[in-house]
Each structure stands twice: as structure tokens, then as C-alpha cells.
Amino acid sequence: NAGVMQNPRHLVRRRGQEARLRCSPMKGHSHVYWYRQLPEEGLKFMVYLQKENIIDESGMPKERFSAEFPKEGPSILRIQQVVRGDSAAYFCASSVRQGPYEQYFGPGTRLTVT
Amino acid sequence: SQQGEEDPQALSIQEGENATMNCSYKTSINNLQWYRQNSGRGLVHLILIRSNEREKHSGRLRVTLDTSKKSSSLLITASRAADTASYFCAPGTSDKLSFGAGTTVTVRA
């Protein structure tokens, strides 16, 4: 069984460019969560999606950030016009059911903005 | 959702010793989860304890939950070098999890 897959693992972008982070949940999981981790800090919730629906985006910055989980294909976290402060590790997790249950995490994408 | 606060921030122990870390939270929960993060990697789920449970075991891990004190503890017995990692608790009240800064455990050979 393949786990949660994220790509790319490392991404370097210049200020002002766009970053696209992809997440393929575990097979059979229809609930996807995105988290951001700054150096020396814990993970901060960003957004919770189900297929074709954003359920909770209370942790997403109001501007430049968007997320989707289409009917087919991976979930995408998109950051437009990146700034240095966006440099972080972005983790995706998936779960089989809704609620505060076990989540399976991907290896993360490390975004560096130069 | 609410964030758990882990204590201590860092812990250094000798291989074979036990490691104990604590988690405090503020409001009522459905369950509480513990996760481990090895350096530079994603989190790995360790154990979930429900609000009506007081203690749970999984291998060398023992978790307790005291809802009256709004606290939980994670005990790792007979530690190994591979247990070197950061450990996070996540109080579960809604669909999303919020993590504190974690406890960094270093197991010395």
C-alpha cells in the first residue's frame, strides 16, 4: 500500500513566482489536510478538503493561497507570488473518515523562496 | 480546534531509560493523539486515546489521559536510538488537528 505521496520534495522559487504543491492521499482516503511547519515549530493547520469540496480553510492566509482536491488527480496547494516568509515545510495528510481521527502524513514539500 | 502544549521542550536520556512527556490542553476533547516526527520527515501516528479511556498501550508506548486535569502523558519504555525524534500531541475536538511545538527527545547511545 502506497502511503501519502507529495511532490516535489523540494521546491525553490524566486520571490513573485508561483508554487504548486501536490498531494496524493492514501488509497481509499477521501479526506485531505494541508499543514505548514516553520523551522523549530509545530505543524499549523491550513485547510481541509474532501473531493471537490473545501470543508475548512480557516488556517489559510486570505491572499495568495488556494487549495483544491479535484474529482480526479491529486490535491494541489497553490501559492501565488511567493514571498520569503512562505519558506517552510508543507505537509499533507489524509484520513479515511471525517472527524478527529488518525491522519497519515506525507513526507512533505520543502519550499525555499529566494 | 485547540492546540496541545507539550512539556518538556527537550529531553535527553540514555539508551534503555524511559522517557516521559506531557501534554496539556484547554477544552473538552473527543480524543487525543500522539505523533512522532523524525528529523525532516512527516509525522507518524503513534496512538489515539479516547476521552473515556484512561490508559492505553502500544508496544513500548504507554499513554495516559486525565480529562479532569486536561492532560495526557506519553511514556516510552526501554528507549532506543531510533526513538530520537520530536513528539507532538494533538487534542481532537473537530476535524482538524493542531500541534504544539513538541518535545524533542534525544536518546544517547
Side-chain angles (χ1 to χ4, degrees):
Chain A
N1 284 330
V4 176
M5 298 173 69
Q6 290 187 250
N7 67 80
R9 295 292 305 277
H10 300 274
L11 183 61
V12 179
R13 285 288 178 266
R14 291 182 181 152
R15 278 180 299 171
Q17 290 185 321
E18 177 180 287
R20 279 187 179 236
L21 289 62
R22 294 175 187 77
C23 168
S24 295
M26 283 185 70
K27 188 176 181 180
H29 289 194
S30 59
H31 303 267
V32 167
Y33 307 79
W34 285 94
Y35 297 86
R36 176 165 63 177
Q37 185 176 33
L38 296 172
E40 308 302 322
E41 293 187 14
L43 275 69
K44 301 301 180 191
F45 167 80
M46 298 182 75
V47 62
Y48 163 39
L49 310 104
Q50 293 180 23
K51 285 282 187 183
E52 299 184 280
N53 285 306
I54 296 175
I55 306 302
D56 184 339
E57 56 182 347
S58 58
M60 288 274 272
K62 293 286 185 276
E63 298 176 350
R64 303 189 297 107
F65 285 72
S66 63
E68 62 176 10
F69 188 15
K71 189 176 179 181
E72 301 291 337
S75 175
I76 306 283
L77 179 67
R78 183 180 176 208
I79 311 172
Q80 295 178 291
Q81 299 174 331
V82 295
V83 300
R84 288 225 172 100
D86 297 331
S87 294
Y90 292 83
F91 291 94
C92 166
S94 72
S95 66
V96 68
R97 52 179 168 163
Q98 188 170 0
Y101 299 108
E102 179 178 347
Q103 295 184 12
Y104 294 83
F105 282 78
T109 293
R110 274 142 193 84
L111 172 65
T112 302
V113 179
T114 61
Chain B
S1 67
Q2 63 174 312
Q3 180 175 306
E5 291 189 18
E6 297 89 352
D7 175 69
Q9 287 188 337
L11 189 55
S12 180
I13 56 174
Q14 200 74 29
E15 201 166 22
E17 292 181 338
N18 296 342
T20 301
M21 60 211 85
N22 303 297
C23 169
S24 60
Y25 57 92
K26 290 188 168 60
T27 64
S28 296
I29 59 172
N30 297 323
N31 59 50
L32 187 140
Q33 302 179 48
W34 284 91
Y35 287 79
R36 182 188 73 225
Q37 184 179 34
N38 292 91
S39 180
R41 300 195 173 187
L43 273 67
V44 174
H45 182 268
L46 295 176
I47 200 163
L48 181 154
I49 185 166
R50 301 185 199 287
S51 60
N52 61 354
E53 297 176 306
R54 292 295 166 258
E55 186 172 312
K56 199 162 183 179
H57 296 254
S58 177
R60 292 183 297 111
L61 305 179
R62 173 178 166 249
V63 168
T64 63
L65 179 63
D66 187 336
T67 53
S68 66
K69 295 181 180 177
K70 293 186 170 55
S71 67
S72 173
S73 68
L74 170 66
L75 168 68
I76 305 172
T77 60
S79 62
R80 305 167 181 170
D83 295 327
T84 294
S86 293
Y87 293 81
F88 299 91
C89 69
T93 56
S94 63
D95 295 335
K96 52 184 181 282
L97 301 178
S98 291
F99 299 87
T103 293
T104 299
V105 174
T106 303
V107 180
R108 306 186 307 272

